[in-house]
Amino acid sequence: MRLLAFLVAATAAAAEAPDYVLVEEHHHVLPHILALVAEGKVQKGATLVHLDSHHDMGLPASWNHDDSSSRNDRTSPSVSHHSVHLEHTHINNFLLALGLLDALDHVIFVEMPWSRQCVDLHNRTKSLRLGFVDGVPRVAYEATVSEQRALRGIFEGHQIVDELETVKTLKFSVIALSDAPRMISKLVGDTDVILDVDLDVYATTSPGALALRSAGLDSATIRRLYRLAHDMCVFDATFDFSRAAVESNCKVEPLGSGPVTVRLFQEDLRDVVDSAEHASDILWTDSRRDAFTSTLRPFSSDLKASFNIEEKMREFIQQPFHDDANSLEGVGRV
């Protein structure tokens, strides 16, 4: 579920209460935003502040951009008029569609601490050049090696091109949740602002986590596996997200630095643990691998009976996950 507040920053309407839109499917906000732009309530080229566990910055797989219906038509600004664009979008790729339609010039992604999708882009702004090749959306950009790693996790390889006739240049900024209070005002500028809040800023599950539950793992075990894989804090009721950037309030298991020997485990869980380690973005020590293996050990028979468990584990580690409701108050303090 997604809540949006449209805050008009640079006009006399700034003193008025913002408009709010509540939708179930993430990309269903698209026609509402286009209608507000067409009605003049939000100026073209707005800044969208995106609070979410997921970046939602994928490219639509198709886009009939030559169709006259794909341009904002101020003579017919209704939501239903713009619903035609929903056929080209999904929950994870509607933001760049809004860029292609000139509704947005800047997306600021406020990443939750349990999400690892854009860590290499924290406190950075990238210019994404958007255009079309044979009628299909494509993207071009310049990036460092570490930035490439994050951006290639957003876009599919064939969507990234070197030469592109640019239709739109969209700024994409990423900041951590704990940095948001001091950074957002510096990034927004004088543009109109759309505040986009997904309910998974408080908690989120994933298809990979649900697959592990189906394989017999309990919630506490799944949480521990995710923390171990990414060397994460315990985000519980005592964790103060508002202080994370200032001082450490992180509880982690004392695994120690330990050696990295790349030793092979001659056991039935080796392939499952390997898939988790390869999906992680940190270097695993032997002690971390031992802790992960021992956590899985009580569920060994259930895991062996589960179809394609190695792939399910890989998906689990790669996708943002946090389902501990005890930490909700801590998120709210930011």
Side-chain angles (χ1 to χ4, degrees), residues 114 116 206 208-209 212 222 225-230 272 275-281 284 292 311-321:
W114 48 82
R116 309 295 297 175
S206 68
L212 293 184
I222 293 173
L225 291 173
Y226 192 76
R227 291 201 306 268
L228 286 171
H230 295 294
V272 180
S275 66
E277 181 176 359
H278 294 157
S280 172
D281 61 349
W284 283 25
F292 198 93
E311 178 64 18
K312 293 175 182 176
M313 181 63 72
R314 182 190 65 80
E315 292 178 351
F316 166 60
I317 299 302
Q318 288 181 334
Q319 298 159 345
F321 171 75

Side-chain angles (χ1 to χ4, degrees), residues 1 21 23 46 75 88 149 152 155 158 162 169 177 182 189 191 210 213 216 231 261 263 272 302 313 323 332 334:
M1 184 172 291
V21 175
V23 297
T75 65
H88 300 292
R149 184 165 53 246
R152 289 189 178 276
F155 305 111
H158 68 276
D162 295 324
T169 297
L177 173 66
R182 65 182 180 86
T191 61
L210 295 175
R213 284 297 301 270
D231 193 22
T261 62
R263 66 188 184 191
V272 180
D302 293 327
M313 181 63 72
D323 72 343
V334 175

